[in-house]
Amino acid sequence: MRMTVTSISGETFCVDCQPWWTTAELDVHVPKQSNVPFGNQYLHGGSILASGVSLLEAGLADGAQLTLIRTRCARVATAIRDGVTAVWDELTGRCLFAIRGHSGEVWFVCFSSDGGYLLTASSDCTVKLWDSVGGAWLGDLEGHKQRLRSAVFSPDSTKVLTTSDCTARLWDVSSRECILAFNGSASVVTSCAFSPDGATLLTGSLDGTARFWDVAGGSFLRLSDAISEVRSIAFIPRGSFLLTLSGHDLQIWEASQGVKLGVLRGHHDAILAAQFSPDGNAVITASSDGTARLWDVASLIMSFANLDRFNPGHARTLQCIQTFRGRDGEIVRSAAFSPHGPRVLTAAIDRSLHLWDLRTGECVSTFSGFGGGVLSMAFSPDAGPSSPSDEA
């Protein structure tokens, strides 16, 4: 059977198909027209063809006409223990490409704010920059003597902040040079963040402190003492907040004043990872107890904003609102929010990666083909409909 496929930019393709084909087989035979990582959707009679359904089951016959809509792939990158970094289509679980270049385990991965760069960091003490579309190597950030703990791009994607041992370093992306080094922590610096305007840095350490720094001059601004180990920090629209670990519990703090807002309690074993949602209204945690748990922290954030109703001496205890379980109780090593929709991704030590719909609690996609356990993962910020100029 032959079908005519027309894109929104006016290109027309004639494709000889088999009745059992799905949209995945169509994708293989529709020419790619851009270096932008696209995903395809096909319309017939005003309805989108469902993935996994054959053309025959969808009611298509010989001579059918389809409209092609290309969308930028919502991508996720995984850092894998065997030294490989893979980039996947978030919604289909299809591997777009794999990167090899480190001589040790890849411990950390992140995308730049504009989605153009991909950063990887390894136990071989190297930090590498890659083109996020095709995986071409762009250069190294050299100077770290121990493995990298965290990294983040500035809002304008021109700088990178990395943490290793007791220091944080600020790098210029174009020159690959270290601009500033931030010292002062008594223990390992585990996490870092840029303020939304890019003018201030926040670093968190295992010594129980969070430090604010001025980006322009590198000067130390102020210290916030959180008592226990700082594992995750973030600037969100309503301020700067951090997460600290104490046994099986997680505490949430307002960083600038060092005020403890609440305790997230419910895990039965060690918490291995924690992350704020992009809007700061939720937290996702991963644990050795074989679960990832979702927590609603919006009320805590709002209570601090309404200081007349906030009692800093009585931190609230929160219970999780949703639980995601690893297969056969396997340890869930990490979890992350997707910026592209109400979804979270979890990685278990059995080398499985699952994408969950927060609205239903159901697994919507499974990633496979790993040569080792996933140590870190990151979502690209760019996704959405393409324009005809993108497809040119």
Side-chain angles (χ1 to χ4, degrees):
M1 55 193 297
R2 170 167 288 199
M3 296 188 182
T4 301
V5 180
T6 303
S7 73
I8 59 174
S9 61
E11 299 163 299
T12 298
F13 313 102
C14 291
V15 182
D16 291 318
C17 311
Q18 297 295 329
W20 51 264
W21 279 12
T22 67
T23 56
E25 284 76 31
L26 272 179
D27 285 345
V28 174
H29 292 82
V30 171
K32 298 183 183 299
Q33 299 296 310
S34 172
N35 288 327
V36 177
F38 284 124
N40 294 333
Q41 289 184 328
Y42 300 90
L43 274 69
H44 179 253
S47 299
I48 296 176
L49 297 186
S51 60
V53 176
S54 72
L55 301 178
L56 184 63
E57 292 171 329
L60 275 67
D62 184 56
Q65 296 188 358
L66 304 178
T67 299
L68 169 65
I69 299 178
R70 287 190 173 104
T71 59
R72 291 183 178 86
C73 288
R75 295 166 293 158
V76 60
T78 55
I80 305 173
R81 190 179 294 276
D82 62 4
V84 177
T85 299
V87 177
W88 311 77
D89 183 318
E90 176 187 339
L91 297 182
T92 66
R94 178 171 61 95
C95 183
L96 301 175
F97 60 88
I99 294 171
R100 294 170 175 83
H102 289 288
S103 61
E105 298 173 336
V106 181
W107 279 91
F108 195 84
V109 61
C110 67
F111 284 93
S112 61
S113 305
D114 61 7
Y117 295 102
L118 188 67
L119 178 148
T120 59
S122 168
S123 58
D124 63 13
C125 300
T126 63
V127 181
K128 296 181 180 292
L129 289 175
W130 312 82
D131 170 52
S132 74
V133 175
W137 174 74
L138 301 177
D140 291 351
L141 308 182
E142 299 179 342
H144 286 293
K145 303 302 181 185
Q146 297 186 28
R147 77 170 179 89
L148 197 92
R149 297 284 179 161
S150 64
V152 63
F153 281 85
S154 61
D156 62 4
S157 299
T158 63
K159 300 178 181 65
V160 172
L161 182 64
T162 59
T163 67
S164 176
D165 51 63
C166 299
T167 65
R169 294 173 184 256
L170 186 66
W171 307 82
D172 178 77
V173 171
S174 60
S175 68
R176 318 286 191 262
E177 296 294 329
C178 180
I179 305 170
L180 294 167
F182 305 92
N183 303 295
S185 296
S187 188
V188 173
V189 180
T190 60
S191 51
C192 56
F194 277 91
S195 62
D197 62 4
T200 304
L201 304 177
L202 178 59
T203 58
S205 170
L206 293 183
D207 65 8
T209 63
R211 288 174 164 82
F212 291 82
W213 309 85
D214 174 59
V215 172
S219 59
F220 172 71
L221 298 177
R222 60 186 180 276
L223 176 70
S224 177
D225 192 344
I227 308 302
S228 56
E229 298 176 348
V230 177
R231 291 290 182 175
S232 179
I233 57 178
F235 281 95
I236 64 174
R238 291 184 294 277
S240 53
F241 297 84
L242 55 92
L243 299 170
T244 64
L245 290 178
S246 179
H248 302 166
D249 297 336
L250 197 72
Q251 297 86 33
I252 180 171
W253 304 75
E254 198 287 323
S256 64
Q257 299 184 38
V259 177
K260 184 177 179 180
L261 303 182
V263 179
L264 312 183
R265 183 165 294 156
H267 282 294
H268 306 298
D269 207 335
I271 298 174
L272 303 178
Q275 185 190 88
F276 283 101
S277 61
D279 61 7
N281 288 330
V283 169
I284 187 75
T285 54
S287 171
S288 296
D289 66 9
T291 68
R293 297 178 186 245
L294 180 69
W295 314 78
D296 183 355
V297 299
S299 60
L300 288 181
I301 305 301
M302 290 302 297
S303 67
F304 183 80
N306 298 311
L307 291 176
D308 56 327
R309 293 186 292 169
F310 180 76
N311 186 344
H314 295 83
R316 292 167 53 189
T317 298
L318 297 184
Q319 303 298 321
C320 78
I321 59 174
Q322 205 164 16
T323 300
F324 309 96
R325 300 189 182 278
R327 185 176 60 187
D328 300 325
E330 291 282 357
I331 292 172
V332 181
R333 184 180 182 89
S334 58
F337 285 96
S338 168
H340 311 128
R343 299 182 291 273
V344 294
L345 190 66
T346 61
I349 63 170
D350 65 355
R351 302 182 183 181
S352 64
L353 204 64
H354 300 286
L355 186 68
W356 305 85
D357 189 320
L358 294 179
R359 296 164 297 192
T360 65
E362 299 295 324
C363 178
V364 296
S365 184
T366 299
F367 300 69
S368 60
F370 302 106
V374 175
L375 299 178
S376 175
M377 53 193 181
F379 286 93
S380 66
D382 54 323
S386 68
S387 66
S389 61
D390 286 328
E391 298 184 32

